[in-house]
Amino acid sequence: MEQNPDLTVTLLSGKKVVIKGTPEEFIDKIVEYRKKIGMQEL
């Protein structure tokens, strides 16, 4: 993840995605999603 000023996330495939919000918000959403689908560990 890079933030300058937009948050840019590089996926495992190498594709880059620009996301609105802070890194903390993005991480919270990942954790929430993983809990929803039943993943215990990151």
Side-chain angles (χ1 to χ4, degrees):
M1 277 189 277
E2 297 175 25
Q3 185 178 17
N4 36 327
D6 296 325
L7 179 61
T8 304
V9 177
T10 304
L11 305 177
L12 292 174
S13 65
K15 181 178 179 179
K16 294 189 179 211
V17 181
V18 178
I19 298 174
K20 292 182 181 180
T22 65
E24 293 80 15
E25 291 171 333
F26 183 65
I27 291 169
D28 288 344
K29 288 183 182 198
I30 292 171
V31 171
E32 181 181 320
Y33 172 74
R34 288 184 174 203
K35 284 180 183 177
K36 183 177 178 181
I37 64 170
M39 292 181 69
Q40 300 299 319
E41 299 292 324
L42 294 177

